[in-house]
Amino acid sequence: MRQISSRFSIAVHTLSLIAVMPNECTGDVIAQSVNTNPVIIRRIMSKLKQAGLIDVRPGVGGASLLKDPADITLLDVYRALEVVEDGELFNFHKHPNPKCPVGNMIEHTLRAELIEAQTAMEQRLNRVTIQQMMDQVHVSE
């Protein structure tokens, strides 16, 4: 099983930074804060823009949120980045041996558990907003 890409945490970082510094937040500024390559930031910002979460100013640069941080959930970010493949977080190995008693039934047996786990995670992500994340950052300073 693969880990969820770091794109998710980078996107949350990006949205929080844009909320704090809306007029100064260029891809280079974000890349410096995240400590990553600006190309990675541009790709993530493109996904966030396609999802209607940010606006990016061409030329001069900079980005702004299209929604209030209290109205952007972690689930919005998760979905914007298309972290899951075909809507399913967990994938199964292809073609287990149907003659094996485990290989014959493992996907069917395990699938319901994994769907329940994904649903629980998505419900949790839907309860947390970018504003709440920013509030926690300010508390820890």
Side-chain angles (χ1 to χ4, degrees), residues 14 17 26-41:
T14 298
L17 195 59
T26 64
D28 289 339
V29 168
I30 297 166
Q32 193 170 41
S33 178
V34 174
N35 199 23
T36 193
N37 189 305
V39 172
I40 292 169
I41 298 302

Side-chain angles (χ1 to χ4, degrees), residues 56-72:
V56 180
R57 290 183 299 279
V60 181
S64 57
L65 297 181
L66 292 175
K67 296 180 176 182
D68 189 276
D71 295 329
I72 301 173

